[in-house]
Amino acid sequence: MTSSTADPAFFTGSIWMMASGSWQVRFEITGEAGDQIASVPVPAVAISTLKMQHGLGLALGILGLFLVVSMAGIVAAAVRDARLEPGAAPSPGRRRRAILATVGSIAVMALLIWGGATWWNVEAAAYSLNVYHPMSVQPALSRNLLDLNVLAYDGGKTRSSRSNKDFLPDHGHLMHLYAIREPEMDEVFHLHPELPAPGDFHIALPSMPAGDYKLYGDIVHANGFPETLVSTITIPPNMPGSPLGPDDANGSPPPLRRGELGNSYKLPDGYVMVWDRPSTINANTAYAFRFCLLDANGKPAADVQPYMGMTGHAAFVKTDGTVFAHTHPEGSAAMAALMLANGTNENDASDRNGAMDMDMGTHNEPLSHTVEFPYGFPSTGRYRIFIQMKHGATIETGAFDVIVP
């Protein structure tokens, strides 16, 4: 791996994953403290089949046509001229047989091309079973009761299929549901539905402003494979609401049309969240984004508490809805997958880089007012970042905008 020029403790690298599944990348690290081994869970899936470049396809088509014509010419010459004495002219009968042989050879080659294309399509269809298809979720809203029916995916092969009965708790919950109002992204809710029946999540929604909401539901399968289930709902006006759960949170940032949010976000109770924003941000580049929580007097917050076992949670969302990443100080890997990869469980999680043990209660000693999230924007465009931290009994939701060139 390559060390960063800006931070010698930050390393980046790449690896080819040649098969789909829930894998772990194991690191052997040697340093002043001795030798250590760490494992990072990596879900590997093929998400698309690349199409052939137009120029290459045209060149191969011309070459194929040349080969077919050349082969037909060889067959014609062999039938017409192969047994002639040197200098002798072919008879009309030989010419007729050559024409028939040419037509026959073209028909045979056309049949071979058709057979090859059929074989190719069968292989492509079989491979498409390994291309990732997200599990479907069917939302239904009755008054303020939201039902999310998650359908199992059967790709026809064991490695392609995913069950709706094997979910693991991640940070104490089987699903982390983000509801973001479209198109202005001016309302965000971080909720946690319950699972009273296999594949059927329920939650009594809090009071939510009317509008269309994009839903992103994070789940983790028993093998450590995470998924984000995407759907939409429409909240009617004056919908009755239930109280937020102990780990639920919401925020109401300014709408996107008002322009880009700055690096300081004032929270409803007077606290302020500040983004130590890098001077330049580019796509496909790894960063460690740092956020700080200040109290009403502008001092570092002295009463920060763990929020679901972490110093903070973040959601990086592209404004067109094509990118959603729910991340933590240890990265985007789900804690349940990290525990599986390292042979531990949620109760054994250590205090590394902002990750607490999975005790969801209050800690006697406040945490640092600063939290870092490793992340790299996968594409150019405008993003809104939602940061959640907890101080005392209050869960704060800050919002920041960035345009990635």
Side-chain angles (χ1 to χ4, degrees):
M1 301 185 72
T2 304
S3 177
S4 168
T5 56
D7 183 356
F10 195 87
F11 290 79
T12 58
S14 60
I15 185 172
W16 282 95
M17 308 295 288
M18 302 304 295
S20 299
S22 184
W23 297 87
Q24 60 172 285
V25 177
R26 185 169 297 167
F27 296 87
E28 297 180 358
I29 305 166
T30 300
E32 296 179 357
D35 298 338
Q36 297 289 335
I37 295 178
S39 297
V40 176
V42 179
V45 293
I47 59 175
S48 66
T49 302
L50 297 179
K51 295 185 179 298
M52 183 178 294
Q53 297 177 350
H54 180 73
L56 177 60
L58 181 61
L60 291 177
I62 294 174
L63 178 60
L65 179 62
F66 172 76
L67 291 176
V68 169
V69 172
S70 299
M71 181 62 71
I74 292 173
V75 171
V79 173
R80 185 183 61 240
D81 303 326
R83 296 184 180 182
L84 290 178
E85 295 294 332
S91 66
R94 283 184 176 276
R95 289 193 177 95
R96 286 193 297 270
R97 288 196 295 272
I99 293 174
L100 292 175
T102 301
V103 173
S105 66
I106 291 176
V108 170
M109 286 184 284
L111 183 63
L112 290 174
I113 293 172
W114 175 83
T118 301
W119 168 82
W120 180 267
N121 290 335
V122 170
E123 288 295 312
Y127 179 79
S128 68
L129 297 176
N130 291 326
V131 174
Y132 175 70
H133 298 274
M135 297 175 70
S136 297
V137 56
Q138 298 175 345
L141 184 63
S142 176
R143 292 180 61 84
N144 74 319
L145 180 62
L146 176 63
D147 177 81
L148 297 171
N149 185 19
V150 181
L151 305 181
Y153 177 75
D154 183 5
K157 294 184 178 180
T158 302
R159 61 182 177 180
S160 301
S161 300
R162 294 184 302 283
S163 173
N164 62 351
K165 302 178 182 178
D166 65 344
F167 304 136
L168 292 179
D170 183 31
H171 299 281
H173 299 281
L174 291 174
M175 176 184 282
H176 293 263
L177 179 68
Y178 277 81
I180 303 174
R181 187 162 70 166
E182 294 184 318
E184 295 294 342
M185 303 181 77
D186 53 351
E187 294 289 339
V188 58
F189 291 81
H190 183 177
L191 308 172
H192 302 94
E194 300 293 333
L195 187 65
D200 194 13
F201 288 91
H202 288 185
I203 185 172
L205 294 177
S207 179
M208 300 171 66
D212 297 325
Y213 285 77
K214 193 72 167 284
L215 303 181
Y216 303 92
D218 286 342
I219 57 173
V220 182
H221 292 278
N223 64 353
F225 186 83
E227 287 196 78
T228 299
L229 310 176
V230 181
S231 59
T232 58
I233 59 170
T234 298
I235 300 296
N238 304 316
M239 182 189 74
S242 300
L244 288 170
D247 291 331
D248 294 345
N250 73 290
S252 302
L256 293 172
R257 65 175 181 271
R258 292 189 184 177
E260 186 176 350
L261 296 176
N263 300 335
S264 179
Y265 186 85
K266 188 171 183 179
L267 300 161
D269 61 355
Y271 276 59
V272 176
M273 200 174 291
V274 179
W275 180 17
D276 185 11
R277 177 173 174 160
S279 57
T280 59
I281 296 178
N282 297 308
N284 299 307
T285 303
Y287 296 93
F289 295 120
R290 181 183 296 109
F291 299 86
C292 303
L293 185 63
L294 307 179
D295 63 21
N297 297 317
K299 304 291 185 181
D303 57 346
V304 176
Q305 294 290 328
Y307 177 41
M308 291 186 292
M310 292 284 179
T311 308
H313 290 245
F316 295 81
V317 190
K318 198 170 183 179
T319 56
D320 63 3
T322 58
V323 176
F324 173 86
H326 177 193
T327 69
H328 313 111
E330 286 198 348
S332 58
M335 181 58 68
L338 280 170
M339 298 300 101
L340 285 174
N342 290 280
T344 57
N345 57 57
E346 286 193 343
N347 294 322
D348 298 327
S350 61
D351 185 357
R352 299 188 306 273
N353 191 28
M356 305 295 108
D357 63 31
M358 295 309 294
D359 175 13
M360 302 300 167
T362 301
H363 282 220
N364 294 328
E365 296 183 3
L367 308 179
S368 170
H369 74 292
T370 300
V371 62
E372 287 189 354
F373 299 96
Y375 186 69
F377 294 99
S379 60
T380 60
R382 186 177 180 181
Y383 292 78
R384 177 155 281 188
I385 307 170
F386 300 103
I387 305 297
Q388 292 173 325
M389 299 178 69
K390 184 177 181 180
H391 68 89
T394 303
I395 303 171
E396 305 280 21
T397 299
F400 305 88
D401 290 337
V402 59
I403 298 177
V404 180

